[in-house]
C-alpha cells in the first residue's frame, strides 16, 4: 500500500512539472503577439516628436544641435497644424504640460477668450518651431507666409503685456528661438583671410532675415520682460543656450550681430548668475581668435558689450578683471584685422584705466610689445590709442615706462611715412602729455632731440619739417640750456662717428690695395708634389 501511494505521488509531481513546462512554452510562443497588442493600444508619437524631445532645453541641459530643424511633416497646411497638436506633449515634459490645454494655433488672439490666450500663445510658439527653407530666395511658400504672420502676432502679443511667461511658455519660447536661430554658418569664402568685413567688401545678408529679425525681437522682449521669473527662466536660458548664442556672433550679417549685441547685453543684466560664465566664454572666443584663427566677424560687437560691462565694474577691481585686460584685451592688438574693432578696443582699455590708473603701465607695455613695424596704418591707430591712454596716466605710472615709450616715439618722429611722423609730432600738442614731458624733461628731451635733428636734415616732407621746427621751439621754451647741451652732445657724437667712419674707410682702402697687388714670378713658390708611398698598404 505504501508503495502504491508513493508511486501516485511521484506521478503527480511529474505531471505537475510537465504542466508548468508546457505553460511556459506557450507563454514564450505568444509573448511577441501579446507585446504587439499592448504597444498598439499605447498613444504613438510622430518622428517629429522624437526629434523635438532630443532638442528639449529643459532643466536637464539637453544639447541644442547645430542647425537643428523640425522635420517637415505632411504635405498640406492642415497636416502641419495637426502635427503641432500631436507633438505638444513632446515639446514640454509631462510635469510642465500639466494643465495646458491644446488650442488650434491658426486662431487669432482676438478670437479666443482671455483664459485661452496663454494656451494659444504656447501653441503658436510650437507652430513656429518649423524652420523654413530659404535656399531659393525667389520662392515664397504659403507656410513661410503663415509662419511670418504667426511670429508677428506673437511679437505683438508679448509687446502688449498680455503674455504670462509661465514655465511652459518659457520652455516653448527657448525651444522656438533655439530651433530658428542656432545653426551652422557656411564656410567663409573671403579672399583676404583677415576675418571680418573690410571697407572693400560688401556685407553678406542672410536670406532668412525676414523671419530671424522677428525671432530676435521676440527673444529680446522675452529677456527684457518685467515680470519674467529669472529663477525659472535660467533653467532654459542656461550655459549651453548662451554658448550657442555667442556662436552666432560669427554671422556675416551685420544686422544679426547688432541684434545679438542687444540680446546678450540684456541677458547679462538680467541673469546675474550667468555673468561670470559669459565673461569667460567671451574670453575663450578672443583667445581662439588671437592665437589660432584670426577669423571672427563679431569681435567689435563683443567689445562694444564689454565696454558697458567694464564701466559697471565695482571698485576695487577683481583680479579676474585685471587678467581679462592683460590676457584678452591687450593681445587683441596683435591681429592684422585690428582696424575693424580698434575703436571698441580702445574704449575698453580706457575704461579699465579709468577704473584703476595703475593699469596704464600694463596697457602701454602691451602697446609697445605689439607695436607694428611695417604696417603704417596700424601704427597710426596705435599712436591715437597711446594718446588716449597717456591722458589717463598718472605721473607715477608714466615714470615707469617713459624711457621705452619715448624711444618708440622717437622712431615714429623719424618715420618716412609722413602720416605717422605727423601724428607723432601732434602728441606734443596735448596739454597733459606736455605736462608729463615737462616734469621729466631731463630724461625725455635727450631721447627725442636726435630724432628731431635728423628730421631737420633729412626728412622729405615739408609738413613734417614744419612740425619738427614747432616741437623744437616747444622744447627750447621748456629748457633751452638742456636743448643746447643735447645739441652739443649730438655734435660730439656725430664727430666721433665721422672719425670712426673715416678710419673704417681708410682701413678698407688699404685692404683693397693689398688685395690688388700682383706678386712677381721670383717670389712665387712652385707647389710641392706629394711623395708617393712605395709600400703597398
Amino acid at each position: 500500500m505504501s508503495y502504491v501511494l508513493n508511486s501516485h505521488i511521484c506521478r503527480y509531481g511529474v505531471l505537475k512539472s510537465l504542466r508548468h513546462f508546457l505553460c511556459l512554452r506557450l507563454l514564450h510562443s505568444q509573448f511577441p503577439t501579446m507585446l504587439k497588442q499592448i504597444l498598439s493600444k499605447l498613444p504613438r508619437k510622430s518622428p517629429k516628436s522624437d526629434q523635438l524631445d532630443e532638442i528639449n532645453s529643459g532643466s536637464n541641459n539637453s544639447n541644442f544641435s547645430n542647425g537643428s530643424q523640425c522635420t517637415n511633416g505632411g504635405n498640406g497646411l492642415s497636416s502641419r497644424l495637426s502635427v503641432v497638436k500631436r507633438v505638444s506633449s513632446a515639446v514640454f515634459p509631462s510635469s510642465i504640460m500639466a494643465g495646458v490645454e491644446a488650442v488650434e494655433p491658426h486662431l487669432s488672439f482676438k478670437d479666443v477668450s482671455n483664459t485661452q490666450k496663454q494656451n494659444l500663445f504656447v501653441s503658436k510658439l510650437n507652430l513656429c518651431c518649423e524652420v523654413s527653407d530659404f535656399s531659393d530666395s525667389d520662392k515664397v511658400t504659403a507656410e513661410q507666409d503663415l509662419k511670418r504672420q504667426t511670429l508677428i502676432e506673437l511679437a505683438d502679443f508679448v509687446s502688449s503685456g498680455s503674455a504670462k511667461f509661465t514655465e511652459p511658455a518659457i520652455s516653448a519660447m527657448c525651444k522656438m528661438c533655439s530651433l530658428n536661430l542656432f545653426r551652422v554658418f557656411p564656410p567663409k569664402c573671403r579672399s583676404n583671410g583677415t576675418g571680418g568685413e573690410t571697407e572693400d567688401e560688401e556685407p553678406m545678408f542672410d536670406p532668412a532675415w525676414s523671419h530671424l529679425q522677428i525671432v530676435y525681437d521676440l527673444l529680446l522682449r522675452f529677456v527684457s520682460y518685467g515680470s519674467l521669473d529669472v529663477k525659472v527662466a535660467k533653467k532654459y536660458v542656461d550655459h549651453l543656450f548662451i554658448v550657442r548664442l555667442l556662436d552666432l556672433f560669427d554671422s556675416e550679417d551685420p544686422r544679426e550681430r547688432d541684434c545679438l549685441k542687444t540680446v546678450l547685453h540684456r541677458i547679462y543684466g538680467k541673469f546675474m548668475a550667468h555673468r561670470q560664465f559669459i565673461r569667460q566664454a567671451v574670453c575663450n572666443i578672443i583667445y581662439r581668435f588671437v592665437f589660432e584663427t584670426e577669423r571672427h566677424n563679431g569681435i567689435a560687437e563683443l567689445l562694444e558689450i564689454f565696454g558697458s560691462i567694464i564701466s559697471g565694474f565695482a571698485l576695487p577691481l577683481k583680479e579676474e578683471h585685471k587678467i581679462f585686460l592683460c590676457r584678452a584685451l591687450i593681445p587683441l592688438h596683435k591681429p592684422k584685422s585690428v582696424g575693424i574693432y580698434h575703436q571698441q578696443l580702445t574704449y575698453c582699455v580706457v575704461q579699465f584705466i579709468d577704473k584703476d590708473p595703475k593699469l596704464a603701465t600694463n596697457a602701454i607695455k602691451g602697446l609697445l610689445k605689439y607695436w607694428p613695424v611695417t604696417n603704417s596704418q596700424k601704427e597710426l591707430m596705435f599712436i591715437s590709442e597711446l594718446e588716449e591712454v597717456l591722458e589717463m596716466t598718472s605721473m607715477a605710472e608714466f615714470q615707469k615706462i617713459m624711457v621705452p615709450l619715448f624711444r618708440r616715439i622717437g622712431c615714429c618722429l623719424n618715420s618716412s611715412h609722413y602720416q605717422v611722423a605727423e601724428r607723432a609730432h601732434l602728441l606734443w600738442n596735448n596739454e597733459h602729455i606736455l605736462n608729463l614731458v615737462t616734469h621729466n624733461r631731463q630724461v625725455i628731451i635727450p631721447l627725442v632731440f636726435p630724432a628731431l635733428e635728423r628730421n631737420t636734415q633729412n626728412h622729405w616732407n615739408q609738413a613734417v619739417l614744419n612740425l619738427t621746427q614747432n616741437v623744437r621751439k616747444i622744447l627750447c621754451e621748456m629748457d633751452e640750456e638742456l636743448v643746447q647741451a643735447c645739441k652739443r652732445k649730438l655734435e660730439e657724437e656725430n664727430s666721433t662717428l665721422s672719425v670712426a667712419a673715416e678710419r673704417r674707410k681708410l682701413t678698407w682702402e688699404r685692404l683693397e690695395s693689398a688685395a690688388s697687388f700682383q706678386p712677381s714670378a721670383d717670389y712665387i713658390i712652385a707647389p710641392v708634389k706629394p711623395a708617393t708611398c712605395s709600400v703597398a698598404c
Side-chain angles (χ1 to χ4, degrees), residues 214-284:
I214 310 174
V215 176
Y216 275 117
D217 183 56
L218 267 172
L219 180 58
L220 178 60
R221 295 179 187 274
F222 163 64
V223 298
S224 305
Y225 211 69
S227 60
L228 179 66
D229 190 348
V230 177
K231 292 183 179 179
V232 177
K234 72 179 182 180
K235 294 194 299 184
Y236 303 95
V237 184
D238 54 4
H239 288 179
L240 187 59
F241 186 93
I242 292 171
V243 168
R244 297 300 307 278
L245 196 69
L246 287 171
D247 289 341
L248 296 176
F249 274 91
D250 202 17
S251 170
E252 296 195 2
D253 193 330
R255 302 169 299 181
E256 181 170 15
R257 298 199 303 268
D258 192 61
C259 290
L260 283 165
K261 177 181 62 179
T262 308
V263 170
L264 183 63
H265 192 268
R266 295 293 176 87
I267 291 176
Y268 187 89
K270 193 92 170 181
F271 298 85
M272 297 183 66
H274 292 333
R275 289 185 175 183
Q276 184 176 6
F277 178 81
I278 292 174
R279 292 195 299 267
Q280 187 58 51
V282 173
C283 277
N284 293 336

Side-chain angles (χ1 to χ4, degrees), residues 465-479:
L465 291 174
N466 295 336
L467 289 171
T468 299
Q469 294 298 329
N470 292 337
V471 173
R472 287 191 61 179
K473 183 178 178 181
I474 292 172
L475 296 182
C476 289
E477 293 175 355
M478 188 183 300
D479 193 336

Side-chain angles (χ1 to χ4, degrees), residues 385-398:
E385 181 178 354
L386 180 62
E387 182 174 7
E388 293 192 39
V389 172
L390 286 174
E391 287 181 350
M392 310 286 296
T393 305
S394 63
M395 185 68 68
E397 298 302 318
F398 175 78

Side-chain angles (χ1 to χ4, degrees), residues 68-85:
S68 55
Q69 299 181 358
C70 294
T71 310
N72 293 330
N75 297 322
L77 180 59
S78 60
S79 64
R80 292 178 184 273
L81 296 176
S82 62
V83 166
V84 174
K85 292 182 64 178

Side-chain angles (χ1 to χ4, degrees), residues 246 276-291 299 302 306 320-321 323-325 327-329 332:
L246 287 171
Q276 184 176 6
F277 178 81
I278 292 174
R279 292 195 299 267
Q280 187 58 51
V282 173
C283 277
N284 293 336
I285 293 174
I286 293 175
Y287 294 155
R288 186 178 180 189
F289 169 70
V290 173
F291 300 110
I299 298 297
L302 290 173
F306 259 84
E320 170 201 349
H321 303 328
I323 291 174
F324 175 73
L325 170 67
R327 297 185 182 178
L329 291 185
L332 275 173

Side-chain angles (χ1 to χ4, degrees), residues 36-231:
K36 290 181 180 179
Q37 292 176 354
I38 294 171
L39 293 177
S40 65
K41 295 179 180 180
L42 294 176
R44 300 177 62 186
K45 289 196 290 186
S46 65
K48 185 172 181 177
S49 304
D50 298 335
Q51 185 173 0
L52 289 172
D53 278 336
E54 294 176 359
I55 313 173
N56 185 22
S57 61
S59 58
N60 296 326
N61 288 335
S62 55
N63 293 331
F64 296 112
S65 60
N66 288 337
S68 55
Q69 299 181 358
C70 294
T71 310
N72 293 330
N75 297 322
L77 180 59
S78 60
S79 64
R80 292 178 184 273
L81 296 176
S82 62
V83 166
V84 174
K85 292 182 64 178
R86 290 201 306 271
V87 303
S88 59
S89 60
V91 175
F92 313 108
S94 58
S95 60
I96 299 178
M97 283 299 296
V100 178
E101 179 184 354
V103 181
E104 287 291 338
H106 64 280
L107 295 176
S108 173
F109 283 105
K110 298 178 181 179
D111 299 334
V112 297
S113 62
N114 292 332
T115 57
Q116 289 184 320
K117 284 184 178 180
Q118 191 63 26
N119 296 335
L120 178 59
F121 177 60
V122 175
S123 298
K124 286 182 178 292
L125 287 172
N126 191 21
L127 175 65
C128 292
C129 288
E130 189 78 23
V131 179
S132 303
D133 182 15
F134 288 88
S135 57
D136 188 357
S137 59
D138 297 330
K139 182 180 178 182
V140 180
T141 63
E143 289 83 1
Q144 292 177 4
D145 288 336
L146 173 65
K147 179 180 176 181
R148 189 173 189 278
Q149 291 300 323
T150 305
L151 288 170
I152 293 174
E153 288 182 20
L154 289 170
D156 293 339
F157 182 68
V158 174
S159 62
S160 67
S162 304
K164 296 180 180 178
F165 282 104
T166 58
E167 188 165 355
I170 292 173
S171 177
M173 175 65 76
C174 293
K175 183 180 296 296
M176 187 274 294
C177 291
S178 65
L179 289 171
N180 284 276
L181 300 179
F182 300 159
R183 61 204 188 278
V184 178
F185 295 117
K188 297 180 177 64
C189 302
R190 300 287 189 184
S191 59
N192 58 2
T194 58
E197 298 163 3
T198 62
E199 296 178 357
D200 299 331
E201 290 178 341
E202 292 293 332
M204 300 181 67
F205 299 108
D206 197 312
W209 182 245
S210 59
H211 286 189
L212 293 176
Q213 182 181 16
I214 310 174
V215 176
Y216 275 117
D217 183 56
L218 267 172
L219 180 58
L220 178 60
R221 295 179 187 274
F222 163 64
V223 298
S224 305
Y225 211 69
S227 60
L228 179 66
D229 190 348
V230 177
K231 292 183 179 179

Side-chain angles (χ1 to χ4, degrees), residues 340-529:
I340 299 172
Y341 53 83
H342 185 259
Q343 182 179 357
Q344 293 84 355
L345 177 59
T346 302
Y347 181 77
C348 290
V349 173
V350 170
Q351 287 296 312
F352 263 111
I353 299 172
D354 186 40
K355 290 287 182 179
D356 187 357
K358 293 182 179 179
L359 295 175
T361 304
N362 295 331
I364 295 175
K365 286 182 178 178
L367 283 173
L368 296 177
K369 177 180 179 181
Y370 296 108
W371 198 276
V373 178
T374 59
N375 190 335
S376 299
Q377 295 303 317
K378 191 174 177 181
E379 198 168 5
L380 286 171
M381 291 185 285
F382 273 48
I383 297 174
S384 299
E385 181 178 354
L386 180 62
E387 182 174 7
E388 293 192 39
V389 172
L390 286 174
E391 287 181 350
M392 310 286 296
T393 305
S394 63
M395 185 68 68
E397 298 302 318
F398 175 78
Q399 290 173 348
K400 295 178 182 178
I401 43 83
M402 61 182 177
V403 174
L405 172 61
F406 276 86
R407 282 176 180 164
R408 173 54 62 184
I409 291 176
C411 294
C412 294
L413 293 172
N414 281 145
S415 174
S416 58
H417 193 286
Y418 76 97
Q419 290 180 332
V420 174
E422 283 183 350
R423 191 65 186 83
H425 281 84
L426 293 176
L427 289 174
W428 304 90
N429 294 339
N430 188 296
E431 293 184 3
H432 182 72
I433 297 177
L434 190 60
N435 182 56
L436 294 174
V437 172
T438 303
H439 284 80
N440 299 276
R441 58 185 179 275
Q442 299 293 334
V443 178
I444 295 174
I445 292 180
L447 294 174
V448 299
F449 186 81
L452 297 174
E453 282 296 309
R454 284 193 291 271
N455 271 1
T456 304
Q457 299 172 5
N458 302 321
H459 207 283
W460 62 274
N461 187 270
Q462 186 60 44
V464 174
L465 291 174
N466 295 336
L467 289 171
T468 299
Q469 294 298 329
N470 292 337
V471 173
R472 287 191 61 179
K473 183 178 178 181
I474 292 172
L475 296 182
C476 289
E477 293 175 355
M478 188 183 300
D479 193 336
E480 187 172 1
E481 292 183 3
L482 181 59
V483 171
Q484 294 299 325
C486 292
K487 185 176 181 180
R488 288 192 298 270
K489 183 179 179 181
L490 182 61
E491 290 174 353
E492 292 175 0
E493 290 177 355
N494 289 338
S495 62
T496 304
L497 291 174
S498 300
V499 172
E502 187 66 26
R503 288 177 180 174
R504 282 196 301 272
K505 182 180 178 181
L506 293 174
T507 303
W508 279 110
E509 288 177 354
R510 287 196 298 269
L511 289 173
E512 289 174 358
S513 62
S516 61
F517 175 71
Q518 297 294 335
S520 62
D522 297 337
Y523 295 98
I524 297 177
I525 302 175
V528 180
K529 202 172 185 179

